[in-house]
Amino acid sequence: MMSAQQMLKVYVTRRIPQEGMKLLQKAGICNLSVWDSDEPVPRAELLKGVAGAHGLLCLLSDKIDAEVLDAAGPNLKVISTLSVGFDHLAIDEIKKRGIRVGYTPDVLTDATAELTVALLLTTCRRLPEGVEEVKNGGWSTWKPLWLCSYGLSGSTVGVIGLGRIGLAIARRLKPFGVKRLLYTGRQPKPQAQEVDGEYVPLDTLVRESDFVVVSCSLTPDTQGLCDKTFFSKMKKTSVFINTSRGAVVNQEDLFGALSSGQIAAAGLDVTTPEPLPTDHPLLSLKNCVVLPHIGSATYSTRGVMSELTANNLLAGLTGSEMPSELKL
Ligand code: NDP
Ligand code: DGY
């Protein structure tokens, strides 16, 4: 056991699942300071709370930039984020300061792929509209031309970013009778063989797909990738799904494409900003389904994510190998 003076200060920016908290408490090396709320820590509190910390456990909603790193000061050895996405971290600044980073790949792949499939089916088969019609009395009888939509059988699906989650989505979609599975990325992937994936230029994917699914990471190259030009190439009957990050999409251009009938529908689990204001134009559209960033939100996944985040943090504090360290 460490003495009170030897204990390492760890700042935790939110209430997290107890599995992870228990690990941090039991380790006996951390002096924990927690923003004990389900709501984000205000910036001023974060800057104050992180001062002198050796470890920082953060969330995707915390922007960890030079200001936060300066506020933390030279003790900071490790940042462990409760997410696989790390676009909220100023990697160059972190690297410059020799700080290690832990993240949560793999453990949320299945949950996120499952949610993506659920969102795709919900969007393309117009489930929210159907549910609404049942409730508001719009369901008068069985009608041959009512609430028809586009299904997956015989379709072409295009996945932008066939990474861990992209591949898991493709695996789940294939059994629905998908005819062609196209994908783009920085290079072809040997694992694409498993889903008969065809590596194609982005332009081909956008023009030929009935379903475009975005599962890439947010980088300077992918920021704003799905813009007016992108949507103008999509088929009028096609459905757009994004479960990566909101900033990959130009939302004004998406609104234009949806309201003009340039594309059939869109399903988004991620937006800019988050939360999306309740008066946002996208929310006025029947052909747009928006979810509150719940890709990884199963009890077990969040529990395992919190354990991994805690173990990454503890390894960073003790200078040992992390279960999942981000290569900087
Ligand atoms: P991976 O790193 O395994 O996959 C990311 C993929 O993005 C890679 O295949 C990469 O391709 C691709 N990519 C990068 N740049 C480009 C580009 N310019 N054009 C096309 N593809 C590109 O990460 P995961 O699959 O584990 O996670 C992906 C993302 O999903 C996360 O970064 C996060 O933002 C998001 N996410 C969202 C969740 C939610 O709740 N909605 C839950 C979990 C994750 P290449 O290998 O060729 O570089
Ligand atoms: C991530 O991990 O990046 C997701 O967006 C939330 O699980």
Side-chain angles (χ1 to χ4, degrees), residues 60 82-87 104 108 112 243-245 270 293 295-297 302 305:
L60 56 91
L82 186 88
S83 63
V84 67
F86 51 86
D87 47 280
T104 65
L108 43 56
T112 309
T243 52
S244 66
R245 285 289 183 267
V270 285
H293 202 149
S296 64
R302 289 285 165 82
M305 282 170 72

Side-chain angles (χ1 to χ4, degrees), residues 7 10 13 21 29 33 66 76 113 116 130 138 177 191 201 261 291-293:
M7 295 283 264
V10 170
T13 65
M21 277 315 283
I29 58 169
S33 170
L76 193 62
T116 307
Q191 56 271 37
L291 300 179
H293 202 149

